[in-house]
Amino acid sequence: MTSRVAPIRPLPELLREHAGRFGSKVAFQDSVSRVTYAELELRTGRLAGHLGGLGLRHGERAAVLLGNRVEAVESMLAVTRAGAVGVPMDSRSTRAELAHMLDDSGARVVFTDRSHLGLLGPLLPERPHLSVVLLRSAGSDAAADTEAGTFSYEDMADTEPTVPAPDDLGLDEVAWLLYTSGSTGIPKGVLSTQRNRLSPVAAGFVAVLGMSADDRLLWPLPLHHAMGQILCVIGVTATGASAVILPRFSEADVLGELSRTENPFTLLAGVPATYAKFLDAVRAEGLTAPALRGCVSGGAAAGPVFERTFEEICGVPFLEHYGSTEAGPVTMPAPGAARAAGCCRAPGYVSATAARAAAVVKRRARASCGSPDPVSWPGTTAGPMTPPWCCATGGTAPVTSPGSTPTAKSPSRAGSAS
């Protein structure tokens, strides 16, 4: 069963098509719940319709403060279907960080659960415009687990709205606002569109990695990061694949999941720090992963020595991709590609060159409001690179490359990526 649906189409269209083709197939699963493609299409449509009933208008912001769970994926897709802008937030944020992101984004709705309501609650009196959609605690009684002034997530997902989901967000309209880690200061908001996020899925994860409906992804990383959004939420949804979402990274949990023989995993996601712990555990216990065909890494460079050691011990390709919150994955190696003599990377892996080229694009974008040519490197496999840097107008006029789509800092936080 291999999906042949072109990824660069609006997500609601892909959801409807997958609901028809793979209806009973599990799309996303966590330790508590699972949702099939038919259920995902139905529930996100209901949520989207109810969001309109709460007064969320086209282009307005809706925050998601839920951590790693199926409902976080549903919420993000529902916001897109409502024609609004999704704002995934780090569930480990401090109250001050949360206040900054809510105010900076201008969020009108926030999805959260009881475990985060204590953090969010003191911020609500000064933000009367903010509607709270609250998830019940697992196994709790609906009547006992209610909170005055909030709206029930379960009621919204399980009942038909008065008005259906509009499903009218264009490919080139702003769809998401992600906050960077704040390594160069306070977190900065990065705007992106469906085309901007679906392009690297099509050009990288599908065309290079061969991601399809046959894949099962094991996801132990935060969902609110760009990698989580592009590979797990959007990549899985666009290709008709499946994902199991772990609450956090644990060597024992990851090794246990990978050893499954029924519905085995084909892809694992990680960052160098998690892969280092994973490798130490494999050295001690060995790796049993009957269908694993690739370990996708991002966030930082692991280095050629680690990559070679990992592949020798695990016997699985280590697929490190280069990108940023603004542009998404820019370039990545093809699985099984031969290495050039004297080269520590597979042909096409040019992170240093990509970084230099990105600096050139940044300078060019700042110098002109025109449309620079897309960056490309001979012999590489690279997706469309969207210049993320705004003109000198304060972040309101993003520069667009042919074949890509605008990505910009939110106007109040224009600046360099962190």
Side-chain angles (χ1 to χ4, degrees):
M1 174 172 63
T2 301
S3 173
R4 299 183 185 279
V5 179
I8 306 182
R9 292 164 53 193
L11 284 170
E13 286 186 23
L14 296 172
L15 267 176
R16 285 192 294 271
E17 187 153 344
H18 292 335
R21 299 182 67 202
F22 314 129
S24 61
K25 174 183 176 180
V26 174
F28 295 93
Q29 178 178 349
D30 59 30
S31 61
V32 176
S33 60
R34 64 175 62 187
V35 63
T36 67
Y37 270 101
E39 292 166 341
L40 186 65
E41 195 280 331
L42 179 63
R43 288 169 61 83
T44 57
R46 287 171 173 171
L47 286 164
H50 284 298
L51 285 173
L54 295 183
L56 186 68
R57 298 175 182 173
H58 192 98
E60 290 187 329
R61 274 65 163 161
V64 178
L65 183 68
L66 287 173
N68 277 24
R69 56 190 301 170
V70 166
E71 292 86 354
V73 176
E74 288 183 334
S75 299
M76 289 302 296
L77 295 175
V79 173
T80 299
R81 297 192 64 180
V85 178
V87 187
M89 293 184 172
D90 188 350
S91 60
R92 301 166 300 176
S93 298
T94 65
R95 185 169 292 145
E97 290 169 338
L98 182 58
H100 160 70
M101 291 185 287
L102 288 172
D103 294 341
D104 187 66
S105 67
R108 308 290 297 183
V109 173
V110 57
F111 290 86
T112 194
D113 55 19
R114 189 159 293 280
S115 66
H116 295 98
L117 194 59
L119 179 71
L120 179 66
L123 301 177
L124 297 178
E126 296 180 356
R127 296 164 179 83
H129 61 278
L130 193 61
S131 297
V132 178
V133 179
L134 183 65
L135 274 74
R136 288 199 300 266
S137 303
S140 66
D141 178 74
D145 196 13
T146 58
E147 187 76 22
T150 66
F151 300 88
S152 168
Y153 181 98
E154 288 75 17
D155 288 349
M156 291 171 62
D158 294 340
T159 62
E160 293 299 328
T162 304
V163 179
D167 288 335
D168 60 351
L169 190 68
L171 281 172
D172 298 311
E173 291 186 87
V174 174
W176 299 287
L177 196 168
L178 271 69
Y179 280 88
T180 62
S181 60
S183 56
T184 59
I186 61 174
K188 303 174 181 66
V190 176
L191 304 176
S192 60
T193 69
Q194 290 186 82
R195 192 188 305 276
N196 169 268
R197 289 324 197 198
L198 285 163
S199 291
V201 172
F205 295 127
V206 173
V208 179
L209 184 57
M211 189 173 180
S212 74
D214 296 326
D215 280 307
R216 270 176 61 81
L217 171 68
L218 182 58
W219 190 264
L221 302 176
L223 279 174
H224 72 277
H225 287 165
M227 185 178 173
Q229 184 204 32
I230 297 172
L231 177 53
C232 187
V233 178
I234 298 174
V236 168
T237 302
T239 60
S242 297
V244 169
I245 303 166
L246 299 181
R248 63 190 62 82
F249 175 82
S250 157
E251 301 96 310
D253 289 346
V254 169
L255 288 174
E257 293 286 348
L258 290 177
S259 66
R260 288 184 177 186
T261 55
E262 182 179 357
N263 297 323
F265 292 97
T266 59
L267 298 171
L268 172 65
V271 295
T274 62
Y275 279 124
K277 295 179 181 178
F278 175 81
L279 187 57
D280 288 340
V282 170
R283 282 192 178 105
E285 303 175 26
L287 176 62
T288 302
L292 191 63
R293 66 180 186 87
C295 293
V296 182
S297 181
V305 174
F306 179 85
E307 180 182 328
R308 285 195 299 268
T309 303
F310 185 95
E311 293 183 344
E312 288 169 1
I313 293 175
C314 297
V316 180
F318 187 83
L319 307 171
E320 193 171 55
H321 69 263
Y322 172 84
S324 67
T325 301
E326 292 86 348
V330 174
T331 184
M332 66 183 298
R339 299 171 190 269
C343 179
C344 63
R345 300 286 187 191
Y349 194 93
V350 287
S351 59
T353 304
R356 288 193 294 271
V360 173
V361 175
K362 182 175 181 178
R363 290 194 297 270
R364 187 194 297 171
R366 284 176 170 169
S368 171
C369 287
S371 296
D373 296 330
V375 176
S376 61
W377 304 276
T380 67
T381 305
M385 181 178 176
T386 306
W389 305 280
C390 297
C391 307
T393 54
T396 57
V399 178
T400 307
S401 292
S404 64
T405 202
T407 303
K409 298 286 188 184
S410 59
S412 62
R413 295 299 169 202
S416 61
S418 61

